[in-house]
């Protein structure tokens, strides 16, 4: 089992990552706004299954490989920092968009909503980087790596399901509120961009733990 300190630190990081914009959130919110709360929840269920697949891949081999090859760890860590830094730039640059800005999508059946969410999740580099470059930082190689990976990954998935379900249910109201108040929309972008920039900087400067 991970230590209590590692669990709390990882849960805090997972919470911050879940709240940052990305393909998964944008797709879920777009569906919730254009097709209703249920569509948003179905779309996110496909995303969540993608998280489970990433977790199982990491737990049953990828994490061990990262620990066995320090240079691979550093490459992944810096790649993760660069990618999250790019997300921060996209949020902060002039003309950047918020995931709560309304996007018109044609209606889709539940099966397509789920499968598109799953594919979006599996092709999302943010999640691959999260499990490859961030998760290993909170694993003690002296303890059972498989158990720690499964527990920490489950914490991330639980936080993600909770937060995203709440966002899907309130997406329409949030989008209406923000679109009617451009300054709040700008503030939301800057808060997310600043969080991402800080995370990217910390990842780039932190050595292997």
């Amino acid at each position: 089992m991970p230590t209590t300190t590692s669990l709390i630190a990882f849960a805090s990081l997972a919470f911050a990552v879940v709240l940052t914009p990305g393909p998964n959130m944008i797709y879920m919110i777009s569906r919730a706004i254009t097709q209703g709360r249920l569509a948003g929840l179905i779309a996110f269920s496909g995303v969540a299954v993608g998280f489970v697949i990433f977790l199982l891949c990491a737990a049953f081999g990828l994490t061990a490989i990262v620990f066995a090859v320090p240079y691979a760890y550093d490459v992944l860590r810096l790649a993760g920092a660069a990618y999250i830094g790019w997300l921060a730039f996209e949020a902060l640059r002039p003309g950047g968009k918020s995931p709560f800005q309304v996007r018109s999508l044609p209606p889709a059946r539940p099966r397509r909503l789920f499968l598109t969410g799953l594919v979006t999740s599996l092709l999302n580099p943010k999640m691959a980087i999260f499990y490859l470059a961030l998760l290993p930082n909170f694993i003690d190689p002296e303890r059972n790596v498989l158990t720690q990976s499964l527990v920490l990954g489950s914490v991330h998935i639980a936080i993600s399901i909770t937060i995203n379900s709440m966002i899907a249910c309130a997406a329409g109201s949030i989008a209406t509120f923000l679109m009617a108040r451009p300054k709040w929309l700008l503030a939301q972008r800057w808060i997310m961009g600043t969080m991402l920039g800080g995370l990217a900087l910390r990842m780039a400067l932190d050595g292997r733990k």
Side-chain angles (χ1 to χ4, degrees), residues 43-121:
F44 180 71
S45 67
V47 172
V49 171
F51 292 166
V52 173
I53 293 174
F54 276 124
L55 169 59
L56 294 177
C57 287
F60 288 99
L62 294 181
T63 298
I65 292 174
V66 167
F67 270 107
V69 186
Y71 290 112
Y73 173 88
D74 288 332
V75 168
L76 288 169
R77 175 173 59 83
L78 294 174
Y83 176 69
I84 294 177
W86 178 78
L87 289 179
F89 169 76
E90 285 292 297
L92 296 174
R93 69 179 175 83
K97 295 182 178 180
S98 164
F100 286 100
Q101 288 179 264
V102 178
R103 292 167 176 77
S104 180
L105 294 175
R109 295 181 180 276
R111 183 171 181 271
R112 184 173 180 181
L113 290 172
F114 175 85
L115 290 176
T116 303
L118 175 59
V119 172
T120 301
S121 181

Side-chain angles (χ1 to χ4, degrees), residues 73-85 133-134 137 196-208:
Y73 173 88
D74 288 332
V75 168
L76 288 169
R77 175 173 59 83
L78 294 174
Y83 176 69
I84 294 177
L134 297 182
N137 283 275
L196 285 167
L199 177 59
L201 184 62
R202 181 173 180 179
M203 286 178 60
L205 297 179
D206 278 356
R208 186 179 185 185

Side-chain angles (χ1 to χ4, degrees), residues 1 8 95 100 113 147 164 174:
M1 287 286 292
I8 294 174
F100 286 100
L113 290 172
T147 300
N164 281 285
I174 295 173

Side-chain angles (χ1 to χ4, degrees), residues 68-186:
V69 186
Y71 290 112
Y73 173 88
D74 288 332
V75 168
L76 288 169
R77 175 173 59 83
L78 294 174
Y83 176 69
I84 294 177
W86 178 78
L87 289 179
F89 169 76
E90 285 292 297
L92 296 174
R93 69 179 175 83
K97 295 182 178 180
S98 164
F100 286 100
Q101 288 179 264
V102 178
R103 292 167 176 77
S104 180
L105 294 175
R109 295 181 180 276
R111 183 171 181 271
R112 184 173 180 181
L113 290 172
F114 175 85
L115 290 176
T116 303
L118 175 59
V119 172
T120 301
S121 181
L122 293 177
L123 295 180
N124 182 8
K126 175 181 169 182
M127 283 300 99
I129 291 168
F130 180 85
Y131 282 103
L132 284 173
L134 297 182
L135 185 65
N137 283 275
F138 298 88
I139 294 175
D140 183 353
E142 301 300 322
R143 297 169 177 257
N144 187 298
V145 173
L146 176 60
T147 300
Q148 291 180 85
S149 300
L150 291 173
V151 171
L152 292 172
S154 297
V155 167
H156 166 255
I157 292 172
I159 291 173
S160 183
I161 289 174
T162 301
I163 298 299
N164 281 285
S165 295
M166 294 171 62
I167 291 175
C169 290
S173 299
I174 295 173
T176 300
F177 176 86
L178 292 175
M179 294 303 293
R181 298 165 177 82
K183 290 184 179 179
W184 282 83
L185 190 62
L186 180 63

